[in-house]
Amino acid sequence: MTKKRIKIFISELPRLSIALTLIAITVGLIIAFFLWCLDFVIHQRFLHPYLLYLLPLAGVFIYFLYQQAGKSIEKGNDLIIAEIYKPNQGIPKRMGLLVLVTTLITHLFGGSAGREGTAVQIGSSIAYFFGQWFKIDSRTTLISGVAAGFGAVFGTPFAGAVFAVEILQIRRTNYKTFLPAIIAALVADKTVKTLQIPHTSYSIDYHKPYAINFIQKYFYVEPSLVFKIIIASIFFGLAAFFFSFLTKHIKSLAQKIIKKKWLIPAIGGVIIIVLTIVNGKPDYLSLGVDPEYQGATTVQSAFQENGANTWSWFWKTLYTGVTIGTGFKGGEVTPLFYIGATLGNTLSFFLNAPVSLFAALGFIAVFSGATNTPLASSIMGAEIFGTEHITLYLIACYIAYLFSGHQSIYGAQLIYKKKRIYLLCNQIWNTIKKIF
């Protein structure tokens, strides 16, 4: 950094610090309110199961809300990522409020969606407003807003900061904006915790048998366990690929064959209702974190033996693909946690491996593959599950990332360099097609 740039940075530091503090506190307050409301509406549906049958009407209502507010806002996280890459039209102030309301509607009536998309859009719209007010570079403020929203909604500020910069450039991540991002994420997370809004806690009951010293505790891993993790992580990557592929193609197919666009969410709602009737249980609706009844399959239950069915991960993938692909709001990350944890539970049985450990690895690895953020996912594992298995988190997240192909839940995410394993698999596939 040149002397001139250092002087500019020092001169702008007070203004940047004030702006980041205001952004983070405001984001933290709204995320806390959002999490409280989300918990309330989900439990209202638990008390009133008939609300599921109004999901098609809720979808139509969401569609017309976005038609009135402006179609550009409907792009959601992709609009934010595109704006960070190349500033153009800016982020509308109403984006945060609109996505908050429509996410609550989605969950009230049983749509299978997440909450990270809402948090990121809330954080970005607030950050963009304050950035314009304080005349600060929009890229810096938007990345800080993403970090604040993501870190606050999951209680993982360090993962939120890394996610905010890692999501932008696959294999060419620029960490120049990391300091503002980490400050915003820490302050927003602290704001949520100060308001005593709880986050779901998870634990791994598997501990290393030979953890005598520091090296053994954090870096030694059993070769047989590593082999099992590599096998499982390949499946985690493929599950991430399948999720991104399915969601993308459901959306494109619906847009292609359904002429009246307001019918898309209505039909999506009907499909969710039919799937629930076929399954005979509501386990795959909404977030999938809190159990609707005793014995329900949830993210938490996946950490226990027999806590998930063999195909729980598939059903959640299908439910969420239909929900998001037909226009409902919320996000995909929490469903990805569900998919990963339940798949990890299933694979632990076939591989004779620790259930809670493989559920935790699936939790973060499928997220890593679907978002192409292996470092942020590994850090998230350390923040949520503890640091004892950090080496295993890194192995699982990076292998899942490599085997997830070039699909992403964020369509605006740019890929600057091909994943070598993807090129190899693609070459093998092309050779097979030529032979047959």
Side-chain angles (χ1 to χ4, degrees):
M1 185 179 287
T2 63
K3 290 183 179 180
K4 184 178 180 181
R5 289 184 178 180
I6 292 173
K7 288 181 180 179
I8 293 173
F9 177 77
I10 293 174
S11 65
E12 292 182 348
L13 190 59
R15 186 157 47 92
L16 180 61
S17 299
I18 294 171
L20 287 176
T21 302
L22 288 173
I23 288 169
I25 292 175
T26 307
V27 171
L29 289 171
I30 297 178
I31 293 298
F33 173 72
F34 167 63
L35 290 173
W36 183 88
C37 291
L38 187 61
D39 182 73
F40 176 78
V41 299
I42 288 173
H43 284 84
Q44 285 300 305
R45 187 185 57 78
F46 288 174
L47 295 172
H48 308 287
Y50 65 84
L51 288 173
L52 174 63
Y53 297 99
L54 299 176
L55 184 61
L57 292 177
V60 174
F61 181 64
I62 289 172
Y63 170 82
F64 281 111
L65 275 179
Y66 272 89
Q67 290 298 303
Q68 292 297 317
K71 293 183 179 180
S72 64
I73 303 178
E74 196 170 13
K75 296 177 182 178
N77 291 345
D78 283 339
L79 175 63
I80 295 164
I81 293 172
E83 185 66 24
I84 295 173
Y85 279 136
K86 187 177 180 181
N88 185 16
Q89 296 179 344
I91 304 297
K93 298 175 185 177
R94 58 187 178 276
M95 171 184 271
L97 176 61
L98 188 60
V99 75
L100 189 154
V101 171
T102 53
T103 299
L104 294 177
I105 292 172
T106 296
H107 285 284
L108 177 64
F109 295 97
S112 178
R115 53 193 170 184
E116 117 287 341
T118 308
V120 166
Q121 290 174 55
I122 288 172
S124 298
S125 59
I126 291 170
Y128 190 80
F129 169 74
F130 279 109
Q132 294 289 300
W133 192 15
F134 283 90
K135 294 182 171 57
I136 296 174
D137 173 55
S138 62
R139 180 184 175 87
T140 300
T141 53
L142 282 175
I143 290 175
S144 299
V146 171
F150 190 95
V153 81
F154 293 121
T156 56
F158 291 99
V162 176
F163 173 84
V165 294
E166 192 177 23
I167 194 69
L168 296 176
Q169 298 185 16
I170 301 174
R171 297 186 65 109
R172 281 183 55 189
T173 302
N174 186 344
Y175 287 95
K176 291 181 180 178
T177 53
F178 180 72
L179 181 59
I182 189 61
I183 292 172
L186 285 168
V187 174
D189 177 58
K190 184 63 176 178
T191 303
V192 172
K193 290 176 178 175
T194 300
L195 294 172
Q196 298 183 344
I197 301 296
H199 295 288
T200 307
S201 60
Y202 303 92
S203 62
I204 300 173
D205 58 18
Y206 169 80
H207 301 284
K208 296 177 182 178
Y210 307 111
I212 299 173
N213 54 46
F214 177 84
I215 298 296
Q216 289 177 328
K217 181 177 180 181
Y218 292 104
F219 298 103
Y220 174 78
V221 289
E222 298 174 70
S224 60
L225 181 60
V226 172
F227 176 74
K228 294 176 182 179
I229 290 172
I230 291 172
I231 298 299
S233 299
I234 292 172
F235 282 99
F236 294 148
L238 295 175
F241 171 85
F242 177 59
F243 178 89
S244 301
F245 177 87
L246 182 68
T247 304
K248 176 183 176 181
H249 283 78
I250 286 175
K251 183 175 182 178
S252 61
L253 183 64
Q255 291 289 335
K256 184 177 180 180
I257 65 175
I258 302 174
K259 302 303 179 184
K260 295 183 178 179
K261 303 309 176 187
W262 63 268
L263 275 175
I264 294 176
I267 293 172
V270 170
I271 293 172
I272 295 296
I273 293 170
V274 171
L275 288 173
T276 306
I277 293 172
V278 169
N279 272 297
K281 56 184 179 181
D283 293 16
Y284 310 115
L285 300 174
S286 195
L287 284 179
V289 175
D290 294 332
E292 185 167 347
Y293 61 93
Q294 189 173 5
T297 300
T298 63
V299 180
Q300 287 182 303
S301 74
F303 283 71
Q304 305 164 8
E305 192 171 350
N306 300 318
N309 298 320
T310 304
W311 294 101
S312 293
W313 66 272
F314 172 79
W315 285 113
K316 188 63 174 177
T317 301
L318 185 57
Y319 271 67
T320 309
V322 171
T323 300
I324 299 299
T326 56
F328 290 89
K329 303 302 173 183
E332 300 96 332
V333 171
T334 304
L336 287 170
F337 294 160
Y338 187 110
I339 292 163
T342 52
L343 179 57
N345 182 290
T346 297
L347 292 173
S348 70
F349 172 78
F350 291 106
L351 295 171
N352 190 27
V355 176
S356 60
L357 176 63
F358 271 56
L361 294 177
F363 184 108
I364 56 176
V366 174
F367 166 60
S368 169
T371 59
N372 296 296
T373 57
L375 182 56
S377 303
S378 302
I379 294 171
M380 173 175 276
E383 288 188 281
I384 294 177
F385 308 118
T387 57
E388 180 181 356
H389 304 291
I390 184 66
T391 305
L392 304 183
Y393 304 155
L394 289 165
I395 293 171
C397 289
Y398 274 91
I399 290 176
Y401 157 75
L402 290 173
F403 279 87
S404 64
H406 288 105
Q407 297 287 331
S408 172
I409 60 174
Y410 305 121
Q413 190 180 43
L414 298 180
I415 300 175
Y416 289 95
K417 191 173 182 179
K418 299 288 185 182
K419 301 175 188 177
R420 292 182 180 180
I421 192 70
Y422 173 82
L423 293 174
L424 177 61
C425 293
N426 192 47
Q427 189 175 10
I428 293 172
W429 174 245
N430 288 333
T431 303
I432 292 173
K433 286 197 295 183
K434 287 179 180 178
I435 293 172
F436 294 99

